[in-house]
Amino acid sequence: MMNAVEVKKKKKLVGVIVLLILTILLMFFVSLSTGVIQIAPADVIKTLFHQGTARQELVLFDFRLPGILLALLIGAGLAISGVILQGITQNELADPGILGINTGAGLAVVLFIYFFKGQLDVTSSFSIFIMPVAALMGAIVAALIIYALAWKRGVNPIRLVLVGIGVNAGFAAFLTIFQLKMDPQDFRQATVWLTGDIWNTSWSFVFALLPWILLLIPIALHKAHSLNVLNLGDDVASGLGTNVESERRQLLLIAVALAGASVAAGGGIAFLGLVVPHIARKIMGPLHQYIIPVSALIGALLLMVSDTIGKNLLAPTEIPVGIIVSLLSAPYFVYLLIRTK
Amino acid sequence: MREFIHQSNISKLIINIITILLLIVSIGLSVSYGSTNIALGTVWEAVFHFNPELTTHQVIQELRLPRAFSAALVGAFLAVSGAIMQGMTRNPLASPSIMGVTDGAAFALVLMLAFFPTISTMGLISSSFIGAGLAVGLVFMVGSFSPSGLTPVKLALAGVAIGTMLRSISSILSLHFNLEKQMGFWIAGGLDGTSWSSVTILLISGAIGLFIAISISKSITVLSLGEDMATGLGQNNLMIKLFGILSILILTGAAVSVAGAVGFVGLIVPHITRFIIGTDYRWIIPSSILFGALLLVLADVVSRLVNAPFETPVGAITSLIGVPFFLYLARGSGGGK
């Protein structure tokens, strides 16, 4: 039975989603037409329907389109990962980047490149599909380490964040050591990739990430109710008949998988998963069935816009998108920090 | 009672003398280990009977000795900065790298190199001080706006946020102005590339910074007992804090401009020192100088051995030592609240 408030909420959700999709479409065309080689919006549409010049087709289909689609997927993935992490830790400062999950995934990928460099071609499509798996392993191991180290008769949210910062620094140190053992070209590639790089991308990255996102977002939506219940606090949640620890572990796995797959495709992009859920909550209120879809869209939009800014701000120098995201979101993080008790 | 204090002062003195001896030995190790190992006897010869025609003597005089001395001084400066920060804020997590100070200094350095490439060394050092000051200012501002004040957790998180922000701007500048190599060096931290002029810079800044640190050490002990108590004892806390911050900026700024962001030294050493020496900052500060110097000289030796013949940034080594320590603190007092 739907009451009036719920109907109103649903209407608002539809309105917000339509608005966000329209904005994403608009920015999508802006993003496609800007860059070192400018293509007029009319030409973009023509080219998309295979009416453009060969050069325009090359730029659009081989370079810009996969990059933009990847940005959209990664943005959505990291944002939902952030929503879940904040929900299960009841901590509004949680983020896969700050907790060290991204760095763990990054370390796994660098180790993978380092140890299998001789055996297989790193740029081959096979290893592009294996990389998310390696990143996922790294992300899971990182999450386990952080969880275990933060455990002291239960997991206190603040201790979790502090431990995350420490583990993050440790992974970063190992990363530096292993990166330096690589030959210079791999080193440069790894460095750029780790700061969050989605411009040197190809369709294989898009196809490698797509199944993860398509699979995990519906599961996350399905779990929205558990997140709502967990948000009421552990005592209330178990009183309502929820198996708190089991639900929390399943949700953590989803969040970690989303972060791991996104990192494998796009490198370490911090703060996105932190800020987006806050914006979504501001618009939609506390219920996760509304927050999750709105966060996915806002995350996608934010990352695409950041990517476009990164490409054009100092053109022809391209700035890794992770840097732009940090620059845009860190002030908001500071604001949250001042506000929280 | 008097006898007891007297005795423990003697044991503190003995600990410090042992540390000095260990420091001398590790500087000897640092000079003799490297891409070519040089016997300690040759090191002695090179120092006291320098023969400019011998390559080994030149390597020792021009590369190894300044490097070992720089390591010792940088370690000492970071440790003292951390000790003063922890004493003043009574926050176990306070330290230059956690508070984004090193990122601030690196930010100012990149900014100067980008817009004033012909800047003098002295100009670079001063801008590094200002950058360090900027970061400290921003982190404390976050604290003072916050209703619950700067708790250990907030300090760490504010440091992460401010540090990330400054580092992002530095990265953008360095990409645009092709300063990636210098930037990478400051972020990772390293002592290769130090020369006698680095030692001179460190000695001059150190003389001022350490003088201030030692002369306010008694007041920091009082401050570390709590601000109300310090005010009750008639101490001018604001003055002490200002001088404390001044010496932190001078010491950290000089250390970063020479060696880049070497993390965690300023976090670990004061804790170890307090554990061994006690709570009196008149002892903590001189002992931190020695322990910090010893730690970084040894870490620098390890950084050359880990992946020989290539060098690993010394910052990665100190992080690996420091992270377990940080985690221990995070599980203890820091994460309690």
Side-chain angles (χ1 to χ4, degrees):
Chain A
M1 207 179 77
M2 270 195 192
N3 56 35
V5 180
E6 218 172 303
V7 172
K8 214 176 139 196
K9 262 262 141 92
K10 282 254 155 75
K11 271 191 183 157
K12 188 178 177 187
L13 178 68
V14 173
V16 169
I17 287 180
V18 169
L19 191 70
L20 279 172
I21 289 178
L22 288 178
T23 320
I24 288 176
L25 277 176
L26 179 73
M27 283 312 298
F28 180 74
F29 282 108
V30 172
S31 195
L32 274 178
S33 65
T34 50
V36 181
I37 300 163
Q38 302 269 342
I39 303 174
D43 286 337
V44 169
I45 296 170
K46 251 203 250 163
T47 316
L48 283 179
F49 290 102
H50 293 287
Q51 304 288 314
T53 64
R55 181 182 158 82
Q56 283 170 344
E57 282 214 6
L58 178 79
V59 170
L60 235 51
F61 282 103
D62 287 357
F63 296 107
R64 287 197 191 154
L65 207 51
I68 291 167
L69 290 177
L70 200 61
L72 292 171
L73 290 176
I74 294 169
L78 286 175
I80 295 179
S81 176
V83 170
I84 298 175
L85 285 176
Q86 291 179 11
I88 57 176
T89 58
Q90 287 149 45
N91 184 339
E92 53 175 14
L93 299 178
D95 162 78
I98 294 176
L99 286 181
I101 293 173
N102 286 357
T103 321
L107 180 60
V109 172
V110 167
L111 286 177
F112 173 76
I113 298 176
Y114 178 71
F115 283 115
F116 291 95
K117 175 72 181 162
Q119 276 95 328
L120 52 92
D121 180 9
V122 185
T123 50
S124 76
S125 52
F126 173 70
S127 69
I128 286 173
F129 281 88
I130 290 292
M131 256 161 53
V133 181
L136 181 62
M137 299 294 180
I140 291 174
V141 171
L144 282 178
I145 292 176
I146 296 158
Y147 204 80
L149 286 173
W151 184 275
K152 194 168 143 188
R153 279 169 273 121
V155 172
N156 166 326
I158 286 173
R159 197 163 53 234
L160 188 72
V161 174
L162 268 186
V163 166
I165 293 176
V167 171
N168 201 0
F171 284 145
F174 276 116
L175 262 179
T176 313
I177 292 175
F178 274 101
Q179 269 176 279
L180 287 176
K181 282 173 173 264
M182 298 173 151
D183 54 75
Q185 199 188 333
D186 286 350
F187 171 74
R188 201 188 140 69
Q189 197 188 344
T191 315
V192 173
W193 172 76
L194 285 166
T195 42
D197 157 31
I198 48 178
W199 73 77
N200 278 333
T201 189
S202 65
W203 283 102
S204 358
F205 280 102
V206 179
F207 292 127
L209 182 59
L210 193 63
W212 295 88
I213 301 289
L214 285 185
L215 183 76
L216 290 167
I217 288 185
I219 299 180
L221 267 175
H222 179 70
K223 286 272 177 197
H225 180 67
S226 304
L227 274 175
N228 294 338
V229 176
L230 281 176
N231 244 8
L232 300 172
D234 290 7
D235 296 339
V236 180
S238 24
L240 287 169
T242 309
N243 184 346
V244 175
E245 282 305 320
S246 151
E247 282 298 318
R248 187 176 280 156
R249 247 174 263 139
Q250 289 176 31
L251 282 160
L252 183 65
L253 188 65
I254 300 170
V256 167
L258 279 167
S262 305
V263 169
I269 296 170
F271 289 110
L272 186 84
L274 180 111
V275 173
V276 173
H278 285 273
I279 304 173
R281 263 197 297 272
K282 273 232 164 87
I283 303 173
M284 293 311 304
L287 290 179
H288 283 89
Q289 55 268 45
Y290 304 128
I291 297 177
I292 290 176
V294 172
S295 289
L297 292 173
I298 296 177
L301 178 65
L302 183 62
L303 199 60
M304 181 169 67
V305 171
S306 305
D307 185 42
T308 314
I309 295 176
K311 269 189 255 174
N312 293 292
L313 187 64
L314 293 178
T317 314
E318 292 189 339
I319 304 163
V321 66
I323 293 175
I324 303 287
V325 173
S326 301
L327 203 56
L328 292 177
S329 338
Y332 192 78
F333 178 74
V334 171
Y335 160 75
L336 285 174
L337 204 58
I338 291 173
R339 226 198 40 192
T340 38
K341 280 194 275 306
Chain B
M1 189 66 194
R2 176 171 278 267
E3 187 126 29
F4 173 72
I5 293 170
H6 188 63
Q7 278 249 314
S8 80
N9 273 353
I10 285 178
S11 68
K12 285 171 191 170
L13 201 63
I14 292 172
I15 291 170
N16 280 333
I17 289 169
I18 293 173
T19 317
I20 292 175
L21 293 177
L22 285 174
L23 183 61
I24 293 170
V25 172
S26 55
I27 287 179
L29 277 178
S30 171
V31 174
S32 77
Y33 270 111
S35 48
T36 50
N37 290 343
I38 300 168
L40 279 173
T42 320
V43 175
W44 184 268
E45 288 264 307
V47 175
F48 296 102
H49 310 282
F50 179 60
N51 180 355
E53 281 165 22
L54 290 174
T55 334
T56 44
H57 283 202
Q58 277 187 345
V59 166
I60 289 169
Q61 280 277 358
E62 295 306 316
L63 298 172
R64 302 266 174 96
L65 272 178
R67 179 170 183 160
F69 286 141
S70 300
L73 290 168
V74 167
F77 292 3
L78 291 173
V80 171
S81 298
I84 298 176
M85 279 185 187
Q86 289 172 13
M88 282 196 327
T89 60
R90 294 196 297 141
N91 185 331
L93 294 178
S95 69
S97 50
I98 305 279
M99 289 182 63
V101 178
T102 40
D103 287 317
F107 165 71
L109 289 171
V110 172
L111 200 68
M112 285 300 128
L113 281 184
F115 294 106
F116 308 99
T118 53
I119 192 169
S120 67
T121 318
M122 217 39 231
L124 271 182
I125 310 279
S126 346
S127 55
S128 164
F129 299 150
I130 297 167
L134 176 77
V136 174
L138 286 172
V139 171
F140 276 120
M141 232 165 67
V142 172
S144 63
F145 281 138
S146 172
S148 57
L150 206 57
T151 59
V153 178
K154 273 206 180 155
L155 182 95
L157 289 175
V160 168
I162 303 289
T164 311
M165 220 149 63
L166 293 173
R167 205 164 46 233
S168 306
I169 304 174
S170 321
S171 305
I172 294 176
L173 288 173
S174 63
L175 276 172
H176 190 63
F177 292 96
N178 285 324
L179 296 167
E180 287 151 293
K181 218 181 131 198
Q182 284 98 319
M183 168 81 188
F185 163 74
W186 279 317
I187 293 297
L191 290 155
D192 46 323
T194 44
S195 60
W196 283 114
S197 65
S198 337
V199 177
T200 317
I201 291 163
L202 288 170
L203 281 176
I204 295 169
S205 335
I208 305 166
L210 293 178
F211 174 74
I212 299 175
I214 291 170
S215 46
I216 60 169
S217 58
K218 192 179 166 197
S219 313
I220 291 180
T221 315
V222 181
L223 203 55
S224 72
L225 299 172
E227 280 195 35
D228 297 342
M229 166 107 70
T231 317
L233 289 171
Q235 184 165 301
N236 186 346
N237 286 340
L238 187 69
M239 268 323 260
I240 299 301
K241 281 189 174 174
L242 282 179
F243 275 114
I245 290 174
L246 185 66
S247 76
I248 290 169
L249 295 184
I250 293 174
L251 293 173
T252 315
V256 175
S257 68
V258 167
V262 179
F264 289 100
V265 176
L267 178 79
I268 318 169
V269 174
H271 282 280
I272 296 175
T273 314
R274 265 195 301 274
F275 181 71
I276 300 176
I277 294 284
T279 50
D280 186 348
Y281 276 81
R282 279 174 303 178
W283 281 98
I284 291 178
I285 288 178
S287 304
S288 290
I289 295 177
L290 296 175
F291 290 154
L294 181 63
L295 178 71
L296 201 60
V297 172
L298 288 177
D300 182 45
V301 175
V302 173
S303 81
R304 279 178 275 166
L305 295 179
V306 142
N307 192 20
F310 302 107
E311 297 208 1
T312 306
V314 72
I317 305 293
T318 54
S319 290
L320 286 185
I321 304 169
V323 163
F325 209 90
F326 178 86
L327 290 174
Y328 167 74
L329 291 173
R331 281 175 63 86
S333 52
K337 273 175 235 159

